[in-house]
Amino acid sequence: MKYLIALLGLLATPAFADTSLFARENIKGWIDLRAVSANGEKSWLDGHYGKLRYGDQSKLSLGEATLIWTPRFTDTLSAYVQVVHVPEWGHETGINEAYLKWRPVPKSGLRVSARLGQMYPPVSLEHEGTGWTTTHTITPSAINAWVGEEVIVQGAELSLKQTFDDQQIGVTLGVFRGNDTSGTLLAYRGWALHDLRSTTTAKPPLPVGNAGWSQTFRRQSPFTKPLKEVDDRQGYYLRLDWRPPVPVSLNFTYFNTHGNPTDFDNGQYGWATRFFNFGAKYEVTETTDILSQVMVGNTKWGRMRTDGVRAIDADYRSAYVMVSHRFDDGARLSLRGETFETEDYSAPSLDNNNETGHAVTLAWMRPVNAHLDLNTEVLHIDSDRPARAYQGLPPQQDQTQVQVMLKVKF
């Protein structure tokens, strides 16, 4: 018996040789402080139809405080837990991503990895930084701002990547639950540009007025819960990647909540939401990149009417192109232009969810040292949303937001 125990000990030693739970390398975080000035309409975070995080104000603000724990259990198994404090969310502190990750040592050109837990599907090309943060601008595009607020899931993901002599192909498949309200913000509020990320406790507010959804669909809470499970059905996503033998990378993602659009639970409706996302990155030089994403999708809820349309039935589309240049000192200058729209097929005379808009963003991101970043951004947006009339506002609005961010890392 003692020889069996010794043998098991020898077999276990290599696997746990790299265990690290609370070393300095396992814990990191930051505090994000901002000086902000924005004109135009009030923010959607205050129950309005404004498209930006800040609106009609100038102030000093805490952007967020983040703590990340990345324990390593073996040389192939690790975990990731991120706790975020955001002043604007309904419950200010919560867990953003939290998952186990398995990545075996590759023995050929095939690389395998898997994740299990709460996470973002691999959609964004902009969130390449630690803690699913942006590396080109302070504010992500409308596409990835929406991913950050409504496309967080709880599930399992398997990724396979095969490298050939001069190219690489990849397949990622995910199955999830806990995302049944995805589409609520897109329909009732429309697109928005901000850097907020959902958490287990977040309650993003919906616009209110004397008409529209708040009068037509009174069972809906005045907020949405992005991680709410309503119908006990599993959603899924599929991503395909291709890196050809040229400085270009291409990807395609299909995402489907597989939601039951007739279910309802405690003020939250189940939504059937799906989208196609196309992404491309062109490395013009070693320091200059061009990034682009195009997303098209549909979201709906409610029983089917005789005309084949549900109570809410809307298509949504958005696209951006960004040029980014990195300087020798690590600073980065980026310029992004984008367009977005929603098209309402249900009952716009009662609850008009149509929308069109454009935005331009210019950002300067500069690392001062290993513990301090100084970032500046100017964002201008114009949009037309008839639902603004429910709050006594003209449908067409434009505004400019200027931010200076000081990010202190530890």
Side-chain angles (χ1 to χ4, degrees):
M1 183 67 179
K2 65 179 180 180
Y3 297 107
L4 177 58
I5 295 175
L7 178 60
L8 290 174
L10 289 174
L11 291 174
T13 299
F16 291 92
D18 291 332
T19 299
S20 178
L21 301 181
F22 298 103
R24 181 65 185 89
E25 64 183 21
N26 302 125
I27 300 174
K28 64 184 65 174
W30 60 83
I31 297 175
D32 159 7
L33 305 173
R34 304 188 189 185
V36 181
S37 180
N39 61 12
E41 61 183 329
K42 295 181 179 179
S43 171
W44 65 276
L45 290 161
D46 298 317
H48 298 270
Y49 287 95
K51 295 300 175 188
L52 302 178
R53 178 172 178 176
Y54 305 97
D56 191 26
Q57 59 181 309
S58 296
K59 67 175 185 177
L60 298 177
S61 173
L62 171 66
E64 70 174 45
T66 296
L67 182 66
I68 299 175
W69 181 43
T70 55
R72 186 175 65 251
F73 305 111
T74 72
D75 57 352
T76 61
L77 182 64
S78 61
Y80 179 95
V81 180
Q82 178 170 343
V83 178
V84 179
H85 174 86
V86 178
E88 290 93 342
W89 280 147
H91 285 71
E92 297 176 349
T93 303
I95 297 174
N96 180 232
E97 291 190 288
Y99 55 81
L100 289 171
K101 185 170 185 177
W102 176 66
R103 179 180 291 176
V105 178
K107 297 181 180 180
S108 65
L110 178 64
R111 294 180 179 270
V112 181
S113 64
R115 295 192 296 172
L116 176 66
Q118 181 171 300
M119 56 198 168
Y120 287 113
V123 177
S124 176
L125 293 182
E126 299 176 280
H127 291 81
E128 299 177 336
T130 302
W132 208 77
T133 55
T134 53
T135 54
H136 301 82
T137 59
I138 298 175
T139 305
S141 63
I143 290 175
N144 295 316
W146 177 62
V147 171
E149 66 190 11
E150 283 204 301
V151 193
I152 188 169
V153 302
Q154 296 171 337
E157 175 189 281
L158 176 65
S159 180
L160 306 174
K161 292 184 179 181
Q162 177 67 53
T163 301
F164 300 97
D165 292 338
D166 54 359
Q167 60 183 308
Q168 183 184 81
I169 59 173
V171 179
T172 301
L173 177 64
V175 180
F176 64 87
R177 54 179 283 128
N179 191 240
D180 290 341
T181 64
S182 180
T184 310
L185 286 169
L186 263 187
Y188 291 147
R189 179 212 61 197
W191 295 96
L193 279 78
H194 60 83
D195 60 326
L196 301 173
R197 290 160 290 149
S198 276
T199 67
T200 49
T201 58
K203 293 182 177 180
L206 302 176
V208 295
N210 55 14
W213 75 268
S214 59
Q215 298 300 313
T216 307
F217 309 111
R218 298 189 180 186
R219 297 178 69 195
Q220 168 71 51
S221 296
F223 55 83
T224 181
K225 295 181 178 181
L227 283 161
K228 175 74 173 178
E229 178 60 43
V230 177
D231 58 15
D232 293 320
R233 295 167 63 172
Q234 281 67 51
Y236 59 92
Y237 56 87
L238 171 69
R239 170 164 166 150
L240 305 176
D241 286 270
W242 180 38
R243 291 179 177 270
V246 292
V248 173
S249 57
L250 305 171
N251 67 76
F252 161 81
T253 303
Y254 176 68
F255 177 95
N256 194 326
T257 63
H258 193 224
N260 184 342
T262 63
D263 275 12
F264 176 83
D265 182 26
N266 194 27
Q268 301 294 318
Y269 289 95
W271 291 68
T273 300
R274 66 182 189 273
F275 65 76
F276 299 91
N277 181 81
F278 305 88
K281 181 178 180 180
Y282 172 39
E283 299 175 8
V284 182
T285 68
E286 291 185 355
T287 57
T288 302
D289 301 325
I290 299 177
L291 291 77
S292 181
Q293 284 180 247
V294 178
M295 179 181 284
V296 295
N298 175 269
T299 187
K300 63 187 66 172
W301 77 262
R303 298 187 180 278
M304 190 77 74
R305 303 188 320 217
T306 56
D307 60 359
V309 177
R310 298 185 184 272
I312 297 291
D313 194 330
D315 284 347
Y316 55 93
R317 296 174 284 271
S318 185
Y320 75 83
V321 175
M322 177 164 58
V323 179
S324 182
H325 179 77
R326 188 183 72 254
F327 295 86
D328 293 339
D329 62 356
R332 181 180 290 274
L333 180 65
S334 301
L335 176 65
R336 183 184 65 219
E338 59 190 298
T339 182
F340 55 85
E341 67 176 320
T342 59
E343 188 171 359
D344 189 355
Y345 298 110
S346 48
S349 60
L350 298 175
D351 177 30
N352 196 327
N353 296 304
N354 287 300
E355 176 178 273
T356 59
H358 306 83
V360 177
T361 304
L362 179 65
W364 173 260
M365 315 278 280
R366 185 179 185 276
V368 178
N369 54 47
H371 301 286
L372 189 65
D373 291 345
L374 181 61
N375 306 323
T376 305
E377 177 186 272
V378 180
L379 195 168
H380 179 79
I381 187 169
D382 68 85
S383 63
D384 188 287
R385 188 173 183 89
R388 288 189 174 105
Y390 306 148
Q391 296 183 345
L393 299 173
Q396 195 281 329
Q397 297 282 336
D398 67 89
Q399 67 181 133
T400 300
Q401 175 182 273
V402 180
Q403 296 188 75
V404 177
M405 172 200 287
L406 187 67
K407 187 173 183 179
V408 183
K409 300 178 288 185
F410 56 87

